[in-house]
Amino acid sequence: MTFKSPAHRGGPKRGMFEELAERASNLTSSPLFFLICLAFVGFFVAAHAAHLPLELLLLAGESMTAVTLLLLALLKNSEMRAEHAIQRKLDAIASALLDMNEDRDSRALRELKESIRMEEET
């Protein structure tokens, strides 16, 4: 098991978790998932309004908590992959600007060169 984020593991292919996270991200951003969540919350409210036994109320509440935790993990994975992709694009733009101005020397170009891959140091 590795503690590196999926964005920093590298490799030519996405892993099984990354594929699952991508599919889940697509599902959770759909209107169908919103309707499922709305029905789930409706069931939770109806269970309380109907004064169902405590075991069923606990089941409904714990189910919502479990879904929330899973969605949080998927959201964080998607966020980190998107952030890493944006940073790689910014680094490519900065490198292209430096290549275009390689014969010049200015403070701004030096700072730009130092900022490439700065996120790896923090």
Side-chain angles (χ1 to χ4, degrees), residues 26-105:
N26 292 338
L27 172 69
T28 57
S29 63
S30 71
L32 173 66
F33 185 75
F34 177 76
L35 291 175
I36 291 170
C37 287
L38 198 58
F40 203 42
V41 171
F43 168 72
F44 183 73
V45 170
H48 277 283
H51 300 292
L52 291 179
L54 183 60
E55 292 82 17
L56 290 177
L57 294 176
L58 287 173
L59 176 65
E62 290 172 356
S63 298
M64 289 182 69
T65 302
V67 169
T68 302
L69 288 173
L70 289 173
L71 289 174
L72 179 65
L74 293 172
L75 176 67
K76 187 62 179 174
N77 177 274
S78 296
E79 174 193 347
M80 289 186 75
R81 285 188 293 117
E83 182 181 322
H84 184 70
I86 289 171
Q87 191 59 52
R88 286 180 35 209
K89 290 174 186 176
L90 287 172
D91 285 348
I93 291 169
S95 294
L97 283 172
L98 288 171
D99 287 346
M100 287 173 42
N101 295 300
E102 63 185 34
D103 55 335
R104 297 182 189 165
D105 187 36

Side-chain angles (χ1 to χ4, degrees), residues 6-7 9-26 77-78 80-82 85 88:
R9 286 186 205 142
K13 279 178 47 172
R14 286 184 177 174
M16 206 164 57
F17 179 75
E18 288 81 11
E19 288 294 328
L20 173 70
E22 182 70 28
R23 287 188 188 121
S25 179
N26 292 338
N77 177 274
S78 296
M80 289 186 75
R81 285 188 293 117
R88 286 180 35 209

